[in-house]
Amino acid sequence: MKRNLKSIIVLVNLVTVLAFFNLSVVDKEDILNNGQIVLLSLAPVDPRSLMQGDYMVLSYAISQAQELEKLPNRGYAVVQLDSQNVAQLVRYQPENEPLHDDEILLRYSKGGWSLNLGAESYFFEERQAETFEKAAYGGLKVDEAGNSILVGLYDENRQLIVPNREQRSQK
């Protein structure tokens, strides 16, 4: 009887974990399909990692708060988009309200020296560092609650940077 009870508990826990994982995937897919594209000005830092391959650590202009210590550990960056979908910081606030019609929320958490927006690194294929060095913006899909997913890097003309596959196949 005890063995059956243990098996049932393990099975229930496994189903629960899988259900939460699938719910998370569905939430992210919803953001990708229905989220609004927001371009954040960035400054790439440390484009290489020997252990992890090529990647960029992303530092967004709006995450460099002047008085970081005065902000709550978690909150929202409120932005407005210009005509080219580039975000301009309006204010930081601890809750998701107040929010005006032309404003968008970006959820943040406090990091060591800046605010984390949830997409602080971008991994790309080997030998593609030169292609992605042109990045001027990080493109995020954002839902109404301020959750975001990094969908790509964009150049100074706000065009999505696509890996140069020919360069990779030649080597």
Side-chain angles (χ1 to χ4, degrees):
M1 179 69 177
K2 285 186 177 183
R3 189 172 190 150
N4 280 342
L5 183 60
K6 286 182 181 179
S7 297
I8 290 172
I9 290 173
V10 168
L11 186 62
V12 167
N13 284 331
L14 179 63
V15 169
T16 303
V17 167
L18 289 174
F20 280 118
F21 177 77
N22 285 331
L23 184 61
S24 175
V25 170
V26 168
D27 287 345
K28 298 295 184 192
E29 286 291 330
D30 185 52
I31 294 171
L32 286 172
N33 293 329
N34 302 316
Q36 181 173 1
I37 190 78
V38 174
L39 298 179
L40 298 177
S41 297
L42 58 86
V45 180
D46 190 15
R48 298 205 178 265
S49 168
L50 296 175
M51 299 300 287
Q52 297 172 306
D54 287 345
Y55 79 104
M56 279 186 171
V57 173
L58 305 176
S59 176
Y60 301 104
I62 69 167
S63 67
Q64 306 300 316
Q66 293 292 333
E67 298 179 342
L68 184 64
E69 67 280 350
K70 292 183 181 179
L71 293 175
N73 287 336
R74 296 186 183 278
Y76 298 89
V78 179
V79 299
Q80 289 180 324
L81 300 183
D82 65 15
S83 62
Q84 315 236 321
N85 283 346
V86 177
Q88 306 299 320
L89 179 66
V90 177
R91 67 184 172 279
Y92 298 108
Q93 60 190 40
E95 302 296 328
N96 60 356
E97 293 181 345
L99 190 67
H100 300 99
D101 289 337
D102 59 344
E103 295 176 338
I104 297 172
L105 293 173
L106 282 172
R107 189 183 303 257
Y108 77 78
S109 62
K110 247 203 252 190
W113 295 278
S114 66
L115 301 177
N116 297 327
L117 299 173
E120 275 64 43
S121 58
Y122 185 79
F123 290 85
F124 47 86
E125 296 174 24
E126 291 183 19
R127 296 186 287 275
Q128 295 294 317
E130 191 174 308
T131 302
F132 287 97
E133 284 175 354
K134 303 179 282 191
Y137 301 96
L140 282 76
K141 285 274 191 142
V142 181
D143 69 6
E144 293 165 357
N147 301 308
S148 63
I149 296 177
L150 180 66
V151 293
L153 298 179
Y154 292 72
D155 64 18
E156 69 270 355
N157 297 316
R158 291 157 304 285
Q159 298 297 313
L160 180 64
I161 298 174
V162 180
N164 186 351
R165 304 252 185 240
E166 292 173 14
Q167 181 183 42
R168 192 179 135 231
S169 63
Q170 291 175 355
K171 294 186 178 181

